[in-house]
Amino acid sequence: MDGNGRWASGRGLPRIVGHQQGVRAVRSVVKACGAMGVKTLTLFAFSSENKNRSTEEVSLLFKLFLTVLKQEVKKLNKHNVRLKIIGDLSLFPEDVQQTAIEAQAKLSDNQGLTLVIAANYGGQWDIVQATKQVVKAAINGHINPEDITIDSFQNYLSLAGEPAVDLLIRSSGELRISNFLLWDVAYSEMYFTDTLWPDFDEVELNKAIENFNHRDRRYGARKEY
Ligand code: FPP
C-alpha cells in the first residue's frame, strides 16, 4: 500500500493524513474483493523496515492500526471476513497486540474473504522464522531433515493454509518487492501501477484483475505453438 506519504505531501498535508486516506482505500478494496469472491487478500501495512521511520510517524501509525482494528471489526464480521495478522507483533504496543488478538478471535469462524494484514512483516523474516521452527522440529526428532520438501516447509510460513498468491499489486510506481512476500510470490503475476495507494479503489482493482486475466501462466512449462 505504497504512496500514502507522497499523496499527502503533494497536497501540503502531514504524512499521517495520507495513511488515513489509505485506510479508505483499504475499505473499498476489502469490500470489492469480498463481493467478487477473492479467497485471500494480503495487505502490507507495516514492513519490518518501517520501524526505522520517525518516532512520530511510527507512533501515529500504531494509533491508526488500533483505531482501525477497533472500528472495523463489526463491519468485517457483517461481511463474513476472517482476519489473520502476520508479522512480528512483539514490536507493537501492548494495546495494539491485544486488540489484534481479540479481532482475529472474533472473526475466526467467518467463511468469506480472508483478510491478511502484514504488520512488522518482512519476507526474509518469514523465511527465517519458518526455518527456526523446522530446525527445532528436527532437533526434537519430530521431522527427519531428509523428509523436508517445498510443500512441508511451506507449512511453517505465515501464509500456510492460504491459497497460492495469484496476483501481487504494487501501487505508487515503484518496481520493487521491498521484502514483502518472497517465497509466496514464486509464480505470482506482478502488477505495478503509478496510482498512489490513497487513490487506489475498486476501479483500479478491476484494472489490475482485467490485466491479470490476460496473463499466460505457464509455471515454467513450455508453451506448445
Ligand atoms: C506506505 O506508504 C504505507 C504505510 C507504511 C502504511 C500503510 C497503512 C495503512 C494504510 C493503514 C492500514 C491499517 C490497517 C489496520 C489495515 P508510504 O508512507 O511509504 O508512502 P510514500 O512512499 O509515498 O512515502
Side-chain angles (χ1 to χ4, degrees):
M1 300 189 284
D2 202 16
N4 295 347
R6 275 164 284 166
W7 185 94
S9 52
R11 287 166 174 75
L13 298 166
R15 293 177 62 83
I16 190 65
V17 179
H19 297 312
Q20 286 161 347
Q21 286 299 119
V23 174
R24 290 180 51 172
V26 169
R27 279 196 202 100
S28 105
V29 169
V30 169
K31 209 169 143 201
C33 284
M36 71 176 83
V38 167
K39 288 204 175 73
T40 306
L41 168 71
T42 304
L43 297 173
F44 204 8
F46 193 89
S47 77
S48 318
E49 291 73 32
N50 284 155
K51 57 178 172 285
N52 303 322
R53 294 186 174 196
S54 75
T55 326
E56 193 203 358
E57 184 174 355
V58 171
S59 96
L60 286 171
L61 269 171
F62 287 163
K63 271 198 193 127
L64 184 66
F65 292 149
L66 191 64
T67 316
V68 173
L69 282 173
K70 281 194 167 149
Q71 264 173 11
E72 304 294 324
V73 166
K74 247 193 186 159
K75 227 186 282 167
L76 291 172
N77 202 24
K78 209 177 110 198
H79 286 92
N80 202 17
V81 175
R82 189 167 73 101
L83 178 70
K84 192 164 158 178
I85 301 180
I86 60 170
D88 179 7
L89 283 192
S90 64
L91 167 93
F92 286 74
E94 195 56 49
D95 50 354
V96 180
Q97 291 186 43
Q98 199 47 42
T99 306
I101 292 168
E102 284 165 15
Q104 289 176 98
K106 181 146 201 262
L107 305 174
S108 63
D109 290 336
N110 288 343
Q111 308 279 318
L113 172 75
T114 296
L115 171 63
V116 182
I117 297 180
N120 196 22
Y121 177 88
Q124 293 170 334
W125 166 86
D126 200 0
I127 293 169
V128 169
Q129 71 76 24
T131 306
K132 281 185 188 165
Q133 291 188 62
V134 172
V135 171
K136 276 184 199 157
I139 290 171
N140 293 336
H142 299 311
I143 55 172
N144 177 349
E146 290 306 321
D147 295 337
I148 299 169
T149 62
I150 291 171
D151 285 343
S152 72
F153 186 85
Q154 217 150 252
N155 289 329
Y156 295 88
L157 289 166
S158 299
L159 285 187
E162 300 304 327
V165 177
D166 287 319
L167 174 63
L168 179 133
I169 300 175
R170 179 154 191 174
S171 56
S172 92
E174 308 293 351
L175 305 177
R176 298 187 287 273
I177 295 187
S178 297
N179 199 17
F180 190 29
L181 306 169
L182 293 180
W183 173 289
D184 315 78
V185 297
Y187 279 102
S188 307
E189 297 296 324
M190 309 273 171
Y191 179 83
F192 297 96
T193 171
D194 287 339
T195 302
L196 302 177
W197 179 252
D199 294 325
F200 197 93
D201 56 10
E202 190 173 354
V203 174
E204 293 296 324
L205 179 69
N206 286 334
K207 276 191 217 165
I209 292 175
E210 177 58 19
N211 184 291
F212 168 82
N213 283 338
H214 289 96
R215 304 284 177 95
D216 178 19
R217 305 187 79 190
R218 294 195 299 279
Y219 299 93
R222 247 186 83 212
K223 189 172 175 149
E224 297 303 328
Y225 292 99

